[in-house]
Amino acid sequence: MSNKSVHKTGLQWLGLGLFCLALLLFTAMLGLESYTITSDVLPEGSNKYQKAAIAKAAKDLDFTGQTFGSPFEVKSAYHEVFTKAQGALEATFEKSGAPDDLGEWDFKLGDGYFKDQLFPLIRSSSTGPITANPWLWFGLTFGLGILGGLLYILPKFSADPGIKNDHIYHSPLTRGLTLTWRSVFLGFTIIGVLAYGVTYMSGQWVWPAVTAGVAILISVLIFIVQNSAKHTPQRSASPDMASGTLGILGGTYLIVFYLLLYWSPYLITPWVIMVNPLTEFLSGGSASQWSVYGTLYTVIVLVMGVRMWSKYQHNKYQLVRTGSVMFFQTGFAFLIPDLMSRLGGPSVDLKLIWPLDYSFFFDWNLNSLLDSGTFGIFLLGWGVALIVIGVPVLTYFYGKRWYCSWVCGCGGLAETMGDPYRQLSDKSMRAWKYERFIIHGVLVAAIVMTAAVLYHFFTGNAQIWIFNAYDIRKWYGFLIGAGFAGVVGTGFYPLMGNRTWCRFGCPLAAYLGLVQRYKSKFRITTNGSQCISCGNCSTYCEMGIDVRYYAQRGQDIVRSSCVGCGVCSAVCPRGVLRLENGDDTDQFRADETRAIHITADSVGIL
Amino acid sequence: MHIVIIGNGIAGVTAARHLRKQSQHEITMISGESEFHYSRPALMYSYMGHMRSEDLKPYEDWFWEKNRINLKRAWVETIRFNEKQLVFADGSTMNYDKLVLAVGSTTSYYDWPGQDLDGVHGMVTLQDIEAMERHSEERLKRAVIVGGGLIGIEMAECFHTRQIPVSFLVREESYWNRVLPPDESTMVTKHIQRKHGIDLRLETELSEIWGDGDGKVKMAVAKGGEKFPCEFVGISAGVKPNIEWLSFSELELGRGIKVNDHLETNLKDVYAIGDCAELIEPQPGRRPIEAIWYTGRMMGETVAYNILGKPTPYRPGIFFNSAKFFDLEYQVYGSTPNELPENQSWFYWQHPTEDKAIRLYWSKASKAVLGFHLMGIRYRHEVCEAWIANETNINEVVEHLGLANFDPEFYEEHEEAIVSAFNAQEGTSIKLKSKRGLSGVQRFLKKLTSKSTARV
């Protein structure tokens, strides 16, 4: 039996062990706290009547004073309390109307209030080891995880510089799934998200239904109109059976993580409590689930960035580029916004650009910027300038890589944590067809949604024909912002590759891509006829571009989806590919008719 | 017209693609080795786990049907040239109007005792790589590789990834010095010797292979008697045209299938291309058989024109090639002999610490540049070729050497150092005028085409 994995030293095994322990603790700590309800932690309502009703119901039902073992128990008990308080206010209103000239819905408790107050209730009632010692737990999870990760990664620097792809397709973590298994996972996730969407939209099933309709329409167009039914892909991620077992586990873990993060944050309050001291130290404010996410995200980008450095020692472009994404994540996404809020201003990630930052034109954001004086106006101008000047100009000179693989946070995660999974992107023609429909569809959706939001902002009229601007933006935020970018985008790293969101979903990538495709100096050039069609470039293209298709014809590669990560060039065993910013007038270089390589005279007869 | 191509390697497939591009004839491509075309140089990457076997296929499986290229998986037993008919191993037949033989190479064996034992393989075919995989999984603890060619070092790299110790027996006193000039050969030799688990044995030749009594490899014995216990012997002492099955026919054979300038054999409507073809009159400075990926591709394109009535002589242009020795990339353009011919000069620069080197060749008389030999540095095919084709003066080449640099962005450009070393050797005072970058290359190439230079 030969060894089908890369040799690991004792220190590396120790690192791996510590990392697993940290992950275990990180997961297990969600169940370690208990929840004691005191009158201090009860929701206060928006007026004294609501407060009193909740307090009374809590007392009547013996909610106050109780200690619960899990957030689920708190939720169900609190639900009874809330319903009772709601009923009491309802009865009062029926009998004598609202006092103090309160409107009906200012007096009564709306259903939404239950959901809004669940997270703060559970968080503030939390007692136990994590509340008692958040820094200890931070050390045991983040600290131990970082230590383990570095112990595992640092010895890799002693290896000879060169391509490090040995055994990727032998490993159950990185070898991916068969087309069938992948479809099963994707199908269940989509159906699950849409089904939950009905609840999320308070029973308005029309939005999930329209989305499902669009999905079916796209499939019909691709399979029947574009004849893809006859073109079953072979070069999809498909090893034997469901042998990518660790990948499946990892993907499932990530998917569950995102589901909790977006839609059930009340279940992850121990994490929030754990990072709270750090957030207070940095921003002066208290932590939310987004502080957990931001801290985790940054730590992962940094540690896995070091891994990138060790893996691509032979390629200076990768070293510099990885340094760039680490810098932008740590500085622009993590530290600067905290600093801004410490200074009392609006807290903004200066590198986020609409339409990826889909809430940029939402009324609350515009109002917040407009209310923040000169600095707010500057931020508004900055955001708009990035959209109308930054994107076209920089993309003209450097291609979309200046953003996607050098600056962007989603890209940063994909290029660091996602690097082990880059080979899982589907290279088939069918996947490319899906990609073009979906990503441009999302761009259109983002524009329509923003137009509706702005129409509402300027006219004050939320109703546009049969649509409501609030519903449109709520559904967009749910489906694209959370479902696509988060759950599928990152959760599917080990299942469909690290750029699933960037490739199929990101509307900013679509916009950058249009500029790159039609007006940019950027291209990947092929070194004459040196290609041996080996396929390493295609295999390791995270955007699913069949790079070899072009390289073996001697064509320059000008594709809207290319994020310019440069890995095709880094893994080419013959030095065939180079990312370049050249003269964009030589369009013939990207023509398919470029002859292979027989001499000029003979080509002349063609 | 029914055009039949035997062999689905790069030569056959390129022929089929160009035939389809320019005609509506019926095209059939036959292979016994694999159902679909795959990239032969990429075989090693499937063994090393860089790619899955389906990733080796440059075209999706539906490509062939869509382009109406019939694929047939079968071994051709014999060809009845008079009746224009193929006979398959199962006895069935197929008629053709034009026949292209693109049957490739096989591993050369030199009648070593024991070479038929279970566990002796080359690394040329899909079956070879499957055998390597099977042996690795079953019983392989040590491997011996025989022959210091390009395939041998790839096999060594394969076993290295699975931590299988390798004894690498090379006949020469330095790795591949029949092709590489001395400094470069030394550089690669040292590069191999630094790899843990690779025991490079120079000036060592295989004498015989011993079995274990069950017909399995147990030991390789070198001339001189040294014994190497092993469970696998990899053979990489060159390849030869796969033509044994064609002997006793009317087809004229030498070491390969003899073809003229138009890739026609001695038989009407029968062509031969790729590794199996032996040119009766090769271009000056070129060998009659060049078993190289790139020449296979060029022959495939050329034969398509000839079959379709557009007589086109085979002109492979300026030689180029590339390879990789573990982590060390290698590229050549033009003529780069391992020993300096009398009427030529050369210049060699080597990086003081890293495995990087460049060697330039030029004519003593005309000063025209003749070749580029590169280790660990990537140079641009278009530029090097244009310089050689235009017989550009070596001083002008050196002056603009940066134009040829094809290393990725942020890589250190060594041309300044190279130019000053060149000045020191030649007593010139050249200043580097061009740096790396596509825009400069585009201007350079445009200027050339506007002069409408005659290419070779």
Side-chain angles (χ1 to χ4, degrees):
Chain A
M1 273 296 286
S2 66
N3 199 344
K4 290 173 93 167
S5 63
V6 179
H7 175 73
K8 294 178 193 64
T9 63
L11 210 58
Q12 283 183 303
W13 283 113
L14 177 68
L16 209 54
L18 290 179
F19 175 79
C20 291
L21 180 65
L23 188 65
L24 198 70
L25 289 171
F26 183 73
T27 313
M29 67 189 276
L30 291 182
L32 290 183
E33 292 278 284
S34 51
Y35 304 88
T36 306
I37 311 297
T38 63
S39 53
D40 292 342
V41 304
L42 286 178
E44 301 202 326
S46 48
N47 54 56
K48 57 182 178 184
Y49 305 104
Q50 292 183 351
K51 184 177 177 176
I54 293 170
K56 183 168 186 307
K59 201 163 170 226
D60 291 352
L61 291 169
D62 278 339
F63 186 56
T64 324
Q66 264 205 67
T67 296
F68 297 92
S70 79
F72 299 106
E73 292 168 28
V74 184
K75 185 186 177 187
S76 72
Y78 170 54
H79 191 255
E80 278 179 44
V81 170
F82 184 82
T83 317
K84 191 168 165 140
Q86 229 181 356
L89 290 168
E90 178 87 40
T92 314
F93 183 76
E94 291 295 315
K95 211 162 67 186
S96 52
D100 302 345
D101 297 328
L102 286 172
E104 178 181 355
W105 286 110
D106 292 328
F107 178 70
K108 288 187 188 173
L109 274 168
D111 286 340
Y113 190 71
F114 170 75
K115 227 165 131 189
D116 292 345
Q117 289 305 310
L118 188 59
F119 175 78
L121 171 70
I122 288 180
R123 182 179 164 181
S124 52
S125 64
S126 187
T127 54
I130 296 137
T131 312
N133 214 335
W135 279 117
L136 173 71
W137 284 89
F138 193 80
L140 286 174
T141 55
F142 278 80
L144 210 56
I146 293 169
L147 178 69
L150 290 178
L151 279 179
Y152 184 72
I153 291 162
L154 291 176
K156 292 174 184 237
F157 280 98
S158 65
D160 293 338
I163 297 166
K164 300 274 177 289
N165 288 337
D166 294 346
H167 306 303
I168 283 184
Y169 273 108
H170 296 152
S171 157
L173 184 63
T174 53
R175 64 189 318 220
L177 308 182
T178 59
L179 193 57
T180 317
W181 275 100
R182 206 180 62 194
S183 308
V184 168
F185 269 91
L186 192 59
F188 274 109
T189 309
I190 292 173
I191 292 167
V193 167
L194 290 182
Y196 180 64
V198 180
T199 318
Y200 188 83
M201 295 301 285
S202 320
Q204 288 191 58
W205 54 266
V206 61
W207 294 101
V210 166
T211 309
V214 171
I216 291 166
L217 177 70
I218 289 175
S219 292
V220 168
L221 283 172
I222 288 169
F223 274 79
I224 296 168
V225 181
Q226 295 193 345
N227 210 17
S228 184
K230 281 169 80 183
H231 296 165
T232 303
Q234 271 73 38
R235 289 207 305 271
S236 54
S238 41
D240 306 335
M241 305 295 290
S243 55
T245 43
L246 290 177
I248 294 175
L249 271 179
T252 311
Y253 189 94
L254 285 168
I255 290 170
V256 172
F257 172 83
Y258 276 94
L259 294 177
L260 296 179
L261 180 75
Y262 283 116
W263 299 315
S264 298
Y266 75 95
L267 293 173
I268 57 171
T269 52
W271 291 343
V272 180
I273 292 164
M274 171 177 70
V275 301
N276 193 51
L278 179 70
T279 307
E280 276 183 350
F281 171 74
L282 290 171
S283 73
S286 90
S288 68
Q289 78 263 41
W290 304 115
S291 317
V292 176
Y293 188 48
T295 311
L296 195 60
Y297 204 106
T298 307
V299 164
I300 288 174
V301 167
L302 289 176
V303 174
M304 291 300 277
V306 174
R307 177 191 163 279
M308 278 297 275
W309 281 339
S310 76
K311 181 172 175 184
Y312 293 97
Q313 285 170 69
H314 67 296
N315 191 293
K316 220 167 172 186
Y317 180 77
Q318 300 305 326
L319 303 182
V320 178
R321 192 177 63 77
T322 303
S324 172
V325 297
M326 289 159 80
F327 166 77
F328 278 102
Q329 175 58 35
T330 316
F332 280 62
F334 187 62
L335 294 177
I336 294 176
D338 277 354
L339 202 69
M340 285 162 107
S341 67
R342 191 171 259 285
L343 296 172
S347 147
V348 173
D349 181 348
L350 287 166
K351 65 175 170 52
L352 259 186
I353 307 177
W354 179 91
L356 173 58
D357 179 15
Y358 60 91
S359 59
F360 185 75
F361 292 108
F362 283 9
D363 50 0
W364 52 261
N365 189 48
L366 293 179
N367 287 330
S368 140
L369 294 179
L370 292 170
D371 292 345
S372 306
T374 325
F375 188 56
I377 302 294
F378 164 75
L379 290 177
L380 187 61
W382 171 257
V384 174
L386 279 177
I387 301 163
V388 298
I389 302 168
V391 167
V393 171
L394 287 168
T395 308
Y396 172 68
F397 284 108
Y398 304 110
K400 80 198 241 187
R401 57 182 172 153
W402 78 267
Y403 193 74
C404 296
S405 66
W406 281 74
V407 172
C408 178
C410 306
L413 192 70
E415 294 292 346
T416 49
M417 177 169 110
D419 177 72
Y421 309 106
R422 56 173 58 251
Q423 68 282 358
L424 301 180
S425 58
D426 192 327
K427 312 305 185 305
S428 66
M429 182 67 86
R430 183 185 288 172
W432 188 16
K433 287 177 175 168
Y434 268 107
E435 171 191 325
R436 282 179 289 186
F437 275 112
I438 299 172
I439 193 170
H440 296 116
V442 173
L443 177 61
V444 171
I447 291 170
V448 169
M449 182 274 292
T450 305
V453 166
L454 283 174
Y455 174 79
H456 170 227
F457 181 77
F458 286 115
T459 65
N461 183 2
Q463 199 65 25
I464 304 155
W465 188 39
I466 54 168
F467 299 109
N468 181 291
Y470 280 111
D471 288 344
I472 297 178
R473 86 176 205 198
K474 189 176 178 188
W475 181 244
Y476 184 94
F478 169 81
L479 185 74
I480 308 296
F484 205 156
V487 179
V488 174
T490 308
F492 273 68
Y493 273 14
L495 311 177
M496 284 178 66
N498 57 333
R499 286 277 193 177
T500 308
W501 158 248
C502 314
R503 179 187 180 192
F504 292 96
C506 177
L508 178 58
Y511 171 31
L512 288 153
L514 288 170
V515 181
Q516 169 161 293
R517 172 69 183 77
Y518 292 105
K519 196 67 201 168
S520 172
K521 285 170 174 287
F522 172 75
R523 75 254 336 280
I524 301 174
T525 52
T526 300
N527 196 6
S529 307
Q530 289 278 26
C531 177
I532 52 166
S533 302
C534 73
N536 276 293
C537 51
S538 294
T539 303
Y540 290 93
C541 176
E542 55 190 357
M543 294 303 282
I545 300 171
D546 193 356
V547 184
R548 164 171 56 187
Y549 180 88
Y550 305 90
Q552 65 191 357
R553 286 165 163 74
Q555 276 176 263
D556 283 3
I557 299 140
V558 179
R559 276 278 291 268
S560 56
S561 61
C562 174
V563 292
C565 70
V567 166
C568 55
S569 166
V571 300
C572 175
R574 293 292 188 274
V576 172
L577 300 161
R578 182 163 197 272
L579 279 59
E580 313 209 53
N581 311 306
D583 176 350
D584 64 331
T585 54
D586 280 0
Q587 285 307 332
F588 73 90
R589 294 180 60 94
D591 282 353
E592 197 170 343
T593 48
R594 251 188 132 202
I596 285 190
H597 215 76
I598 62 172
T599 60
D601 306 340
S602 325
V603 173
I605 62 167
L606 269 171
Chain B
M1 186 161 79
H2 185 203
I3 305 167
V4 175
I5 301 164
I6 305 180
N8 68 352
I10 184 62
V13 160
T14 310
R17 279 185 43 240
H18 282 270
L19 286 165
R20 174 51 73 234
K21 222 175 190 173
Q22 299 165 56
S23 79
Q24 296 304 317
H25 299 304
E26 189 186 353
I27 302 169
T28 302
M29 197 159 63
I30 299 165
S31 168
E33 181 199 4
S34 66
E35 193 180 356
F36 296 101
H37 166 59
Y38 71 92
S39 170
R40 200 172 299 282
L43 277 176
M44 61 186 292
Y45 298 108
S46 79
Y47 177 89
M48 299 197 296
H50 293 206
M51 296 198 278
R52 298 157 300 174
S53 50
E54 69 250 40
D55 297 324
L56 305 190
K57 294 186 278 190
Y59 303 94
E60 290 196 64
D61 292 353
W62 48 262
F63 174 90
W64 310 103
E65 195 192 328
K66 184 177 173 240
N67 288 291
R68 288 171 293 117
I69 296 168
N70 311 322
L71 302 182
K72 185 174 170 69
R73 177 99 192 252
W75 293 104
V76 178
E77 189 94 345
T78 50
I79 305 171
R80 295 174 185 145
F81 289 106
N82 292 332
E83 298 159 51
K84 291 195 162 185
Q85 192 177 58
L86 310 177
V87 183
F88 296 105
D90 66 359
S92 62
T93 60
M94 177 186 281
N95 293 315
Y96 64 83
D97 297 306
K98 303 264 187 188
L99 179 67
V100 180
L101 297 167
V103 295
S105 305
T106 57
T107 303
S108 292
Y109 292 87
Y110 291 91
D111 295 325
W112 294 292
Q115 68 181 27
D116 296 325
L117 286 165
D118 186 18
V120 184
H121 283 277
M123 194 175 73
V124 174
T125 63
L126 214 49
Q127 287 73 32
D128 286 336
I129 210 84
E130 283 162 7
M132 273 173 70
E133 182 70 50
R134 194 181 69 240
H135 285 286
S136 303
E137 287 302 287
E138 281 170 4
R139 54 190 283 272
L140 186 41
K141 290 190 191 67
R142 288 197 62 93
V144 165
I145 292 167
V146 178
L150 294 177
I151 293 175
I153 198 165
E154 288 180 357
M155 278 177 132
E157 188 175 351
C158 282
F159 290 131
H160 185 66
T161 63
R162 303 224 186 159
Q163 296 123 48
I164 296 168
V166 170
S167 296
F168 190 5
L169 315 188
V170 172
R171 190 180 57 186
E172 292 77 22
E173 59 275 17
S174 175
Y175 175 79
W176 215 32
N177 66 359
R178 287 166 295 130
V179 177
L180 298 176
D183 301 291
E184 287 88 335
S185 174
T186 306
M187 179 184 283
V188 181
T189 304
K190 285 183 178 163
H191 188 86
I192 299 169
Q193 283 166 336
R194 277 202 300 274
K195 292 288 169 187
H196 181 73
I198 307 283
D199 176 23
L200 180 65
R201 297 301 186 101
L202 298 166
E203 297 180 85
T204 309
E205 277 185 77
L206 178 69
S207 150
E208 56 184 307
I209 306 165
W210 294 353
D212 65 353
D214 282 336
K216 290 175 176 166
V217 169
K218 183 178 119 189
M219 190 91 74
V221 185
K223 283 181 186 163
E226 191 173 358
K227 295 184 186 68
F228 297 91
C230 62
E231 292 76 34
F232 188 92
V233 178
I235 303 294
S236 149
V239 292
K240 59 180 185 196
N242 173 25
I243 54 166
E244 268 167 43
W245 65 286
L246 288 164
S247 41
F248 313 111
S249 73
E250 306 89 320
L251 196 64
E252 191 191 344
L253 302 175
R255 281 201 300 127
I257 303 166
K258 294 272 195 185
V259 291
N260 65 16
D261 221 20
H262 290 81
L263 306 176
E264 294 159 333
T265 65
N266 64 317
L267 302 174
K268 192 172 179 319
D269 295 331
V270 180
Y271 303 78
I273 56 173
D275 284 12
C276 68
E278 179 182 353
L279 288 160
I280 297 166
E281 287 180 60
Q283 294 290 298
R286 305 290 292 251
R287 285 171 288 137
I289 302 175
E290 288 179 329
I292 298 177
W293 177 262
Y294 311 110
T295 50
R297 206 166 54 185
M298 289 184 241
M299 284 184 170
E301 190 178 347
T302 308
V303 83
Y305 303 137
N306 285 311
I307 289 172
L308 298 173
K310 303 172 190 166
T312 306
Y314 171 61
R315 291 288 174 271
I318 287 156
F319 184 82
F320 63 97
N321 199 6
S322 67
K324 198 168 175 229
F325 314 107
F326 282 93
D327 301 317
L328 184 49
E329 287 178 19
Y330 159 77
Q331 291 184 336
V332 293
Y333 300 104
S335 152
T336 56
N338 61 338
E339 286 169 25
L340 185 64
E342 251 180 35
N343 55 354
Q344 294 183 19
S345 297
W346 68 16
F347 159 76
Y348 178 72
W349 173 87
Q350 187 175 328
H351 191 280
T353 52
E354 294 166 48
D355 281 348
K356 290 181 177 183
I358 174 172
R359 189 181 292 274
L360 306 173
Y361 296 73
W362 65 93
S363 155
K364 268 184 185 163
S366 69
K367 291 274 188 181
V369 70
L370 299 170
F372 297 81
H373 191 282
L374 299 138
M375 312 292 305
I377 301 178
R378 300 173 175 182
Y379 263 26
R380 206 184 281 263
H381 192 171
E382 289 166 290
V383 174
C384 293
E385 186 184 56
W387 277 331
I388 297 168
N390 286 289
E391 301 180 354
T392 308
N393 187 296
I394 183 68
N395 291 342
E396 192 185 331
V397 168
V398 171
E399 195 172 28
H400 296 284
L401 203 57
L403 276 185
N405 192 311
F406 196 72
D407 276 338
E409 292 154 298
F410 302 108
Y411 273 45
E412 197 183 338
E413 293 180 59
H414 299 293
E415 278 75 20
E416 291 280 3
I418 295 169
V419 169
S420 56
F422 182 85
N423 283 334
Q425 176 184 313
E426 293 297 308
T428 47
S429 52
I430 298 167
K431 288 207 166 53
L432 184 68
K433 285 197 183 147
S434 298
K435 294 213 140 206
R436 178 173 61 207
L438 179 60
S439 299
V441 171
Q442 284 170 309
R443 281 194 298 277
F444 166 76
L445 292 173
K446 263 182 209 154
K447 217 158 80 186
L448 273 188
T449 41
S450 67
K451 273 196 274 178
S452 82
T453 48
R455 294 177 126 196
V456 177

